[in-house]
């Protein structure tokens, strides 16, 4: 079963990333023929990979093909509705494609008992909770925490000069790295991460000679680190009891 899923995943990677020219991606929003070419490429790959058992697999090949067409059509519509969220749309698109492959596997082989044991253990749930705390909860907490300062006009002007959501993404990635460092007991890596961020960020702030904005960034960095360290050690402590 795992080998079959890996074959499906390989077909998806080849069709979506290797055999799809950039011109198709750009033109398929306006000319549907390029979307069909992309979907047909996926279908041909599936037919080649499962040619030895085609009589059994052709319904699933059709399901994946039309499912891929539906998901990509939905993504094109989403891109027109939310053109400024390409990363989020890309992630959702890929999750839907992989979920489709999982559905096909479940349809063919059923749900293995090992999946339930793997995904619903206390350890797995703890990792999932920690991940959500880092990626979903902490950004909201920090946004609320800084709301009293975000209203100041000079801060708002400076934030407009930065990349959209770059600060949030940097914060999420640094917190994930800190939690990982704590789990593998590489605590010196946290100091290295803080030093590296100080070099790249605080040098520009010092040159700008804006004390209030420098304090704003410093508080944000330290708050992010404190949250990540708390989550990391909370996870590490909790894992001792499972």
């Amino acid at each position: 079963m795992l080998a079959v899923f890996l074959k499906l995943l390989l077909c998806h990677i080849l069709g979506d990333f290797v055999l799809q020219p950039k011109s198709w991606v750009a033109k398929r929003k306006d000319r549907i023929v390029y979307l069909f070419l992309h979907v047909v490429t996926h279908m041909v790959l599936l037919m080649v990979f499962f040619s030895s058992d085609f009589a059994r697999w052709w319904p699933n090949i059709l399901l994946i093909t039309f499912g891929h067409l539906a998901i990509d059509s939905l993504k094109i519509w989403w891109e027109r509705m939310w053109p400024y969220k390409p990363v989020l749309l890309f992630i959702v698109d890929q999750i839907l494609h992989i979920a489709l492959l999982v559905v096909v596997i479940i349809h063919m082989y059923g749900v293995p008992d090992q999946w339930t044991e793997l995904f619903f253990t206390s350890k797995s749930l703890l990792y999932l909770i920690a991940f959500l705390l880092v990626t979903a909860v902490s950004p909201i907490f920090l946004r609320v925490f800084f709301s009293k300062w975000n209203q100041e006009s000079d801060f708002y002007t400076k934030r407009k000069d930065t990349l959209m959501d770059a600060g949030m993404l940097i914060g999420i990635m640094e917190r994930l790295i800190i939690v990982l460092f704590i789990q593998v007991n590489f605590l010196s890596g946290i100091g290295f991460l803080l030093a590296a961020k100080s070099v790249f960020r605080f040098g520009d702030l010092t040159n700008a000679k804006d004390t209030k904005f420098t304090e704003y960034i410093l508080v944000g960095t330290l708050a992010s680190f404190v949250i990540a360290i708390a989550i990391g050690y909370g996870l590490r402590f909790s894992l001792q009891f499972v």
Side-chain angles (χ1 to χ4, degrees):
M1 183 178 65
L2 178 60
V4 174
F5 176 75
L6 292 177
K7 287 172 69 175
L8 291 173
L9 187 59
L10 178 58
C11 288
H12 173 69
I13 293 172
L14 289 173
D16 250 26
F17 300 102
V18 179
L19 300 178
Q20 181 177 205
K22 293 181 180 179
S23 58
W24 289 11
V25 178
K27 294 178 180 178
R28 70 182 186 179
K29 298 177 183 179
D30 302 312
R31 300 182 62 183
I32 196 171
V33 63
Y34 291 99
L35 176 60
F36 283 129
L37 284 173
H38 171 61
V39 173
V40 168
T41 301
H42 273 275
M43 184 174 66
V44 171
L45 285 169
L46 290 168
M47 292 172 65
V48 171
F49 273 75
F50 293 94
S51 58
S52 61
D53 198 12
F54 184 76
R56 181 187 177 205
W57 268 92
W58 72 264
N60 293 305
I61 292 175
L62 289 179
L63 174 62
I64 295 172
T65 300
F66 285 105
H68 199 102
L69 176 62
I71 293 170
D72 279 6
S73 299
L74 187 61
K75 184 188 177 186
I76 292 173
W77 180 73
W78 282 341
E79 287 173 341
R80 291 171 179 166
M81 295 290 293
W82 300 289
Y84 302 110
K85 297 184 179 292
V87 176
L88 177 61
L89 295 181
F90 173 81
I91 293 173
V92 172
D93 173 68
Q94 294 303 313
I95 289 175
L96 290 176
H97 284 307
I98 294 174
L100 176 61
L101 303 183
V102 172
V103 168
V104 170
I105 290 295
I106 292 175
H107 171 70
M108 292 291 294
Y109 300 99
V111 180
D113 295 335
Q114 296 88 340
W115 285 18
T116 304
E117 296 173 359
L118 175 64
F119 291 111
F120 293 99
T121 62
S122 297
K123 182 178 291 187
S124 300
L125 293 175
L126 281 172
Y127 280 119
L128 177 60
I129 290 171
F131 178 79
L132 292 176
L133 286 174
V134 169
T135 59
V137 178
S138 57
I140 296 175
F141 172 79
L142 289 171
R143 191 181 309 129
V144 173
F145 180 75
F146 284 101
S147 60
K148 61 180 179 180
W149 294 315
N150 287 338
Q151 304 303 320
E152 298 189 22
S153 59
D154 53 343
F155 285 177
Y156 179 75
T157 302
K158 288 182 173 62
R159 291 178 63 190
K160 284 174 61 178
D161 296 332
T162 62
L163 296 174
M164 181 180 296
D165 295 331
M168 182 186 69
L169 293 175
I170 292 171
I172 289 174
M173 287 187 286
E174 74 184 15
R175 288 190 291 275
L176 286 173
I177 293 172
I178 290 171
V179 172
L180 175 62
F181 282 166
I182 292 174
Q183 303 316 302
V184 299
N185 202 30
F186 182 48
L187 303 184
S188 58
I190 300 175
F192 173 78
L193 184 63
L194 180 60
K197 187 171 183 180
S198 300
V199 170
F200 286 108
R201 193 67 185 266
F202 297 143
D204 294 337
L205 292 173
T206 302
N207 294 333
K209 300 185 184 304
D210 189 334
T211 303
K212 290 175 63 177
F213 194 63
T214 301
E215 291 174 343
Y216 179 88
I217 297 299
L218 180 60
V219 171
T221 297
L222 294 179
S224 179
F225 272 62
V226 168
I227 291 172
I229 291 171
I231 294 173
Y233 274 106
L235 174 61
R236 186 171 177 178
F237 177 77
S238 300
L239 288 172
Q240 297 177 1
F241 298 95
V242 298

